[in-house]
């Protein structure tokens, strides 16, 4: 495949207009505006009535993403099956993911979920040679459950657990990773507590011992700079629901170029074939690049939405989003400390990302009461989860802090 996005076997893919709504950019011309907060709020209708601080669960819906869904439906109405265009959209998504990861499109598979990406990765492992899979205690359930499912193939699963302050010490990874280890899973940011792991340091240890490394970055992509090659990991996975401002049912898997072509997923499908339209059922001949981790028919409506959502993130610029959210989170953390509340997420900016978790004595009541005041947040493990994004402003944080002050009895 090329950077402009074409798939061998779709002869017309290049002839389809790539930019029907003017928000799809070739690799070199994404223009970052750095516009955050008040400057972008008009794009998100929900912000007219709510303090929406829930990007860790679902990013806010924008006019642009709604228009993308409508474009998909209008094209279907007007032309029936627009297969060439749909496939071109999937390639546009691959290219957008690759830009966000500072990688090449040839290193990115378009998936429906982290689950698909993780399943593809473990299906390619030789667990006979290296039976151990190491996972951090901060992995999302899908990563932990797929790892444990490999016990049926003879794998031994080892957990590394948090120590003081909820931080998983690098020493714990040192101890767990050995010459029998095939894969280390270290999520970039804990969905439960907001802790940010030192993925580059963990990758260095794993590689020293010949193990591969997967960083589930769903809680990071779109909100913090993620340079997959610079991190030194082998796989990065995530999706579009949260900080990429789009829909469920679209994700990505970055596969480090050097690993190809030796890594052969046995979880596969016809869109992973080297020549999709050969339609040959007599062998397994996967694509030479990371498309070998694609699977079946692409999730077309989600791809329309995903490309639109990612365009909003790219136009703002991830560095601007990261700086904006860091400031809002510092304001939030200072405010909670003033209330004598307990912030579970580390205060040190290098140890946190966009998600801040606050300990609560009755988090379900707290989330419900805040929702009653138009403040949308979520909960995990008894903690309140607050996740700001490019569209949030200081007033959102202050509104939340005032509501928490009025419910001090619900904070731990
Ligand atoms: C860290 C993390 N990984 C994975 C997922 C979801 O995985 P999947 O795309 O397989 O549903 C989520 C949230 O939904 C998440 O927060």
């Amino acid at each position: 495949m090329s950077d402009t996005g074409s798939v061998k076997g779709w002869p017309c893919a290049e002839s389809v207009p790539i930019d029907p709504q003017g928000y799809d950019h070739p690799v070199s011309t994404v223009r970052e505006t750095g516009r955050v907060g008040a400057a972008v709020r008009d794009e998100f209708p929900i912000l007219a009535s709510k303090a929406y601080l829930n990007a860790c669960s679902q990013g806010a819906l924008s006019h642009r993403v709604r228009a993308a869904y409508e474009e998909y439906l209008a094209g279907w109405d007007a032309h029936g099956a627009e297969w060439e265009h749909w496939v071109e959209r999937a390639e546009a998504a691959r290219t957008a993911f690759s830009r966000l990861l500072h990688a090449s499109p040839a290193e990115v598979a378009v998936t429906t979920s982290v689950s698909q990406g993780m399943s593809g990765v473990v299906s390619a492992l030789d667990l006979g040679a290296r039976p151990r899979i190491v996972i951090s205690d901060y992995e999302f359930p899908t990563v932990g459950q797929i790892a444990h499912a490999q016990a049926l193939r003879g794998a031994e699963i080892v957990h590394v657990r948090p120590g003081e302050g909820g931080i998983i010490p690098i020493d714990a990874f040192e101890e767990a990773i050995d010459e029998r280890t095939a894969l280390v899973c270290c999520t970039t940011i804990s969905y439960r507590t907001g802790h940010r792991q030192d993925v580059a340091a963990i990758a260095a240890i794993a590689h020293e011992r010949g193990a591969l490394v997967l960083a589930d970055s769903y809680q990071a992509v779109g909100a913090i700079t993620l340079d997959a090659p610079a991190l030194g990991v082998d796989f990065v996975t995530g999706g579009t629901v949260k900080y990429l401002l789009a829909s469920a049912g679209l994700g990505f898997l970055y596969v480090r170029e050097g690993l190809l072509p030796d890594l052969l997923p046995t979880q596969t499908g016809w869109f992973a074939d080297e020549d999709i339209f050969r339609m040959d059922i007599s062998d397994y001949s996967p694509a030479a690049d990371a498309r070998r981790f694609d699977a079946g028919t692409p999730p077309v409506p989600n791809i329309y939405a995903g490309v639109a959502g990612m365009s909003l993130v790219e136009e703002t610029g991830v560095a601007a989003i990261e700086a904006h959210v860091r400031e809002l989170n510092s304001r939030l953390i200072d405010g909670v400390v003033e209330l004598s509340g307990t912030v579970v997420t580390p205060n040190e900016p290098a140890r946190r990302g966009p998600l801040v978790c606050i300990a609560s004595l009755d988090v379900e009541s707290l989330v419900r009461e805040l929702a009653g005041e138009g403040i949308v947040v979520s909960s995990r493990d008894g903690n309140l989860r607050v996740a700001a994004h490019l569209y949030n402003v200081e007033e959102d944080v202050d509104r939340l802090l005032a509501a928490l002050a009025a419910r001090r009895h619900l904070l731990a």
Side-chain angles (χ1 to χ4, degrees), residues 1-13:
M1 276 184 303
S2 72
D3 282 12
T4 51
S6 68
V7 176
K8 194 176 164 205
W10 290 99
C12 305

Side-chain angles (χ1 to χ4, degrees), residues 42-64:
D42 280 357
E43 182 67 52
F44 301 91
I46 195 170
L47 304 181
S49 58
K50 306 232 188 281
Y52 191 80
L53 291 158
N54 198 28
C56 59
S57 301
Q58 169 99 55
L61 176 61
S62 59
H63 291 302
R64 192 179 295 191

Side-chain angles (χ1 to χ4, degrees), residues 56-57 111-117 138-143 146 187-192 216-220 237-239 241-242 249-251 380 385:
C56 59
S57 301
T111 66
T112 54
S113 61
V114 164
S115 305
Q116 185 195 328
Y138 284 145
E139 299 311 302
F140 195 73
T142 209
V143 171
I146 293 167
T187 190
T188 305
I189 290 171
S190 163
Y191 77 102
R192 287 162 50 193
D216 172 1
S217 301
Y218 218 140
Q219 294 293 341
T237 184
V241 176
K242 302 169 196 296
L250 179 63
R380 284 276 184 267
R385 298 197 309 167

Side-chain angles (χ1 to χ4, degrees), residues 118 133 135-136 139-150 157 159 185:
M118 170 72 180
I133 300 176
I135 68 172
S136 87
E139 299 311 302
F140 195 73
T142 209
V143 171
Q145 289 162 13
I146 293 167
H148 278 280
Q150 306 318 303
I157 318 307
H159 285 239
C185 300

Side-chain angles (χ1 to χ4, degrees), residues 226-238:
L226 262 189
D227 184 327
L231 276 176
V233 292
D234 303 286
F235 310 102
V236 179
T237 184

Side-chain angles (χ1 to χ4, degrees), residues 177-207:
I177 303 168
D178 63 12
E179 271 66 30
R180 291 168 299 160
T181 307
L183 182 69
V184 178
C185 300
C186 56
T187 190
T188 305
I189 290 171
S190 163
Y191 77 102
R192 287 162 50 193
T193 64
H195 282 81
R196 183 165 171 170
Q197 306 208 82
D198 189 347
V199 171
I202 297 164
I205 294 166
H207 285 167

